Amino acid sequence: MLLISLKKYFSRFTFSFLLLVLLFNNLYSGETGRGGYAGSFLRMGLGAGALASGGGSAVYYGDAAAAYYNPAGIVFLEHAVATTSVSSMSLGRSMSFIGYAKPLKPAGRQNAGFSVGWIRAGVSDIDGRDSNGNHTDMYSSSENCFYLSFAHAVGSFMAVGISTKILYYRFPGIADGGSLSAKGVGFDFGVMVMPLHNVSAGIVIKDLHSRYTWNTQSLWEKGTQKSDQFPVVFSGGASVRLYSGRGRLSVNYEKINFIPGTISAGAELKPADRIAVRCGIFRGDVTFGAGFFMKIKGHTAVFDYAYVADPAGPGNVNVLTGSFIF
């Protein structure tokens, strides 16, 4: 009987997910040059749990990466959570994240939340050449985003949130005896609603005012001052939980300024208490992964893996994420 029930369970869930993919995959608009604008590392997605199930959405709040997808989602977290994540990519690139998010109950009722985090992306083994093409040195670079997010409930089923982001780009050793760097500040605004206990929807606008400001006047005789503005990102999505919370389907529309809009879709299924399997379509490519849950002294530890296609280089992206739920 158990096998028969599980078979029906998977069949219905698989049919629902395939229907979702067929409905939205034809609407997908291809994109090129996503990495051609400043701040591309903030548009790659974050965390294995979200990336495996279609790249995340404006209604994702599964771990401490919630503020990255929509700062309003912090209000809907059930517990405080700390998350760390690393991504393995080709061509000497890497990406990592560490963050913490906590819902707040100022009067015994959960109606707010905050989150802090650090997203870092780097490139190593950059072959330096002079104007004659001769090798000079090996270089590396890093981009960093430090954010502080706050969210508050508005009524019984709506929340609004804001993230303030400090941006820092660094090229060590590229100037004589020093580093070339750029700084900036940006903001994200989000709204999320949960009109039914198993249905949620949200919208978020990212990277308002985000930019790198470069100033090389103190480094070189003919130095200049220049600003590289990040494209503004609009994202809107919805999700529905099925089978008493063991299944979840989500769909998301994303429009990045200067780049055609894309529709992504994902699914998560928990066939057992300690296991989750995930798959989806993210910007036209297949994603998949899994999660494992375990109890440690009354708390929950979660280990997630995601496979994501690499839009910028050969090979693919493997993402490992660990979360500790307090």
Side-chain angles (χ1 to χ4, degrees):
M1 287 296 293
L2 178 62
L3 291 176
I4 295 174
S5 299
L6 284 174
K7 186 176 180 180
K8 291 181 178 178
Y9 190 69
F10 274 101
S11 298
R12 291 170 58 188
F13 189 80
T14 303
F15 174 77
S16 300
F17 175 68
L18 290 177
L19 180 62
L20 192 63
V21 171
L22 288 173
L23 282 172
F24 291 101
N25 195 39
N26 287 335
L27 298 178
Y28 167 75
S29 298
E31 56 90 9
T32 56
R34 187 179 295 274
Y37 299 97
S40 60
F41 76 111
L42 293 180
R43 300 186 292 275
M44 295 180 66
L46 189 68
L51 286 168
S53 51
S57 70
V59 291
Y60 179 82
Y61 56 95
D63 51 35
Y68 168 85
Y69 289 99
N70 188 339
I74 309 168
V75 173
F76 299 103
L77 286 169
E78 295 182 359
H79 305 281
V81 55
T83 298
T84 183
S85 181
V86 293
S87 300
S88 172
M89 293 176 277
S90 61
L91 303 177
R93 298 166 298 152
S94 63
M95 187 168 175
S96 59
F97 163 72
I98 184 168
Y100 176 78
K102 182 179 181 179
L104 300 175
K105 305 175 182 178
R109 171 177 167 267
Q110 182 173 323
N111 63 2
F114 81 95
S115 180
V116 294
W118 173 24
I119 306 169
R120 180 189 182 280
V123 181
S124 59
D125 299 329
I126 301 173
D127 187 6
R129 301 278 172 170
D130 61 18
S131 57
N132 295 319
N134 300 314
H135 172 77
T136 56
D137 204 345
M138 300 301 289
Y139 298 96
S140 63
S141 68
S142 65
E143 293 184 76
N144 301 271
C145 171
F146 305 92
Y147 68 78
L148 171 63
S149 305
F150 181 76
H152 200 283
V154 181
S156 59
F157 62 88
M158 177 184 290
V160 296
I162 179 174
S163 292
T164 300
K165 303 189 289 191
I166 298 174
L167 309 162
Y168 182 58
Y169 200 143
R170 184 168 182 261
F171 264 117
I174 202 166
D176 294 337
S179 298
L180 178 61
S181 62
K183 302 173 184 176
V185 176
F187 304 93
D188 296 349
F189 296 94
V191 178
M192 190 178 295
V193 297
M194 194 175 293
L196 301 174
H197 76 281
N198 61 339
V199 176
S200 55
I203 58 172
V204 59
I205 300 175
K206 297 182 179 182
D207 286 324
L208 291 170
H209 194 267
S210 296
R211 69 194 64 193
Y212 289 133
T213 299
W214 303 88
N215 188 344
T216 60
Q217 293 174 329
S218 62
L219 297 175
W220 297 302
E221 182 179 352
K222 296 183 179 180
T224 59
Q225 186 169 355
K226 181 178 181 297
S227 290
D228 290 332
Q229 187 169 352
F230 292 21
V232 175
V233 179
F234 169 83
S235 179
S239 73
V240 56
R241 287 184 291 172
L242 307 170
Y243 312 121
S244 301
R246 287 187 173 274
R248 179 170 54 88
L249 295 175
S250 62
V251 61
N252 195 72
Y253 174 76
E254 180 186 67
K255 177 68 178 76
I256 302 173
N257 203 13
F258 313 120
I259 297 174
T262 59
I263 294 179
S264 302
E268 178 186 81
L269 179 63
K270 295 179 178 176
D273 291 340
R274 294 188 175 186
I275 299 174
V277 292
R278 308 176 179 106
C279 61
I281 301 293
F282 180 41
R283 297 168 182 166
D285 293 311
V286 174
T287 66
F288 61 84
F292 177 72
F293 303 75
M294 63 182 295
K295 288 289 185 182
I296 300 178
K297 294 184 177 181
H299 303 291
T300 302
V302 186
F303 303 94
D304 294 311
Y305 165 78
Y307 166 95
V308 187
D310 189 338
N316 298 292
V317 182
N318 295 286
V319 186
L320 293 174
T321 298
S323 295
F324 193 78
I325 302 172
F326 298 91

